[in-house]
Amino acid sequence: MKLGVVVFPGSNCDHDALAAASLAAGQPAEALWHESEDLRGCDAIILPGGFSYGDYLRTGAIARFSPILKPLAKFAAAGHPLLGICNGFQILCEAGLLPGALVRNAGMRFVCRQIRVRVEVIDTPFTAAYTAGKVISIPVAHGEGNYVAEPEVLERLERNRQVVFRYEPEDNPNGSMHDIAGICNDGRNVVGLMPHPERAIDAALGSQGGWRVLHSLEMVCR
C-alpha cells in the first residue's frame, strides 16, 4: 500500500501525517507538493492539518485552488480513499468534495485538548478497523471546526449514515451541528474529520484512539 500526504504552504501537521501513514503502510509515505498534478501512484491520500496559506481569507479557501486538487477530484471520483484532517477537512468542503462548511468555533476561541469521539459507521476505508459505537479519545486543535450545513444537507447526511465521527454530546468543543466531528461523501471513500488521528497513534502521545483510522486503510487496501 502506497500512501500520499499533500503538503500546502503553511501545513504544520504534514510530518506527523507522513510518519503515521508510513507506520500504517509499512513503507515511507509520499509527500505530494500542492503544485504537482502527479499523485505518484498512491493508493490513498491524506490532506493534513495545518494552516494552509496562513488561513488567510478563510481556512482552506485558497488551498482549494491548488493544482493538485484537480487530480485529487478525479482520484476521489474513481473511488479511491481520500482523508482530510482538520485543515484538510476544511479544504475538502471548500473544494466541494464534501458538503457543508467549517466556521469559527461557537466560543470564538481556539481549542486544543483531548476529547471523546464516537465512531458512528464502519463502512468507510478509514473506520473499518473500529467497532460501531466505539468511543475514542483523540485530540483537537482548531479555531474553525464548527460544522454547519443547510437543514436538508444535515437530514441527508443522517439518513444516508454519512456522519462518520460524532463528538460525545457533553464534549463538543466547537458547537458543531448534530455534534458532527467527521463526515463522508455519498461514495463513502472521501472522509473529513476535525480531530487529529495522526496525533493519537502511540500511548506515549497520550492516546492510541486514532491509530485504527490508518490501520483501516491497511486492511482495505491490502
Side-chain angles (χ1 to χ4, degrees), residues 3-222:
L3 302 184
V5 176
V6 178
V7 180
F8 298 94
S11 292
N12 67 0
C13 300
D14 47 336
H15 286 277
D16 289 345
L18 282 164
S22 299
L23 188 62
Q27 64 173 314
E30 289 273 356
L32 304 172
W33 185 234
H34 73 112
E35 291 182 329
S36 173
E37 296 191 20
D38 181 1
L39 302 184
R40 301 185 189 176
C42 289
D43 300 301
I45 293 177
I46 299 170
L47 274 62
F51 298 89
S52 59
Y53 295 92
D55 281 355
Y56 292 123
L57 183 62
R58 187 176 66 244
T59 51
I62 300 176
R64 63 89 72 228
F65 291 106
S66 295
I68 201 167
L69 263 293
K70 290 182 179 178
L72 275 182
K74 295 179 180 177
F75 183 82
H80 299 295
L82 177 60
L83 175 68
I85 302 170
C86 197
N87 191 212
F89 184 16
Q90 295 158 340
I91 294 168
L92 289 175
C93 289
E94 290 286 345
L97 295 176
L98 288 174
L102 284 309
V103 300
R104 292 292 301 273
N105 295 344
M108 301 298 286
R109 301 181 67 177
F110 189 92
V111 293
C112 181
R113 63 181 173 87
Q114 203 79 7
I115 53 144
R116 292 183 303 141
V117 170
R118 187 169 66 251
V119 180
E120 295 285 71
V121 297
I122 58 173
D123 57 345
T124 82
F126 303 100
T127 53
Y130 288 102
T131 54
K134 174 75 174 178
V135 176
I136 60 176
S137 175
I138 192 168
V140 294
H142 58 252
E144 299 183 32
N146 183 354
Y147 183 81
V148 297
E150 296 295 325
E152 59 271 23
V153 173
L154 289 169
E155 192 278 330
R156 188 175 71 247
L157 289 173
E158 297 288 358
R159 184 180 67 249
N160 295 341
R161 300 172 53 256
Q162 289 175 245
V163 177
V164 180
F165 298 98
R166 203 185 305 267
Y167 301 114
E168 287 288 85
E170 69 281 6
D171 215 5
N172 182 336
N174 49 48
S176 280
M177 291 179 165
H178 292 210
D179 296 318
I180 287 174
I183 60 172
C184 67
N185 65 343
D186 291 338
R188 314 191 79 76
N189 61 303
V190 180
V191 171
L193 76 165
M194 287 310 297
H196 286 267
E198 81 282 10
R199 297 184 187 177
I201 62 170
D202 191 302
L205 299 175
S207 165
Q208 293 178 291
W211 168 241
R212 291 180 187 272
V213 171
L214 294 161
H215 181 52
S216 295
L217 268 179
E218 192 273 334
M219 290 174 57
V220 170
C221 297
R222 69 175 56 161

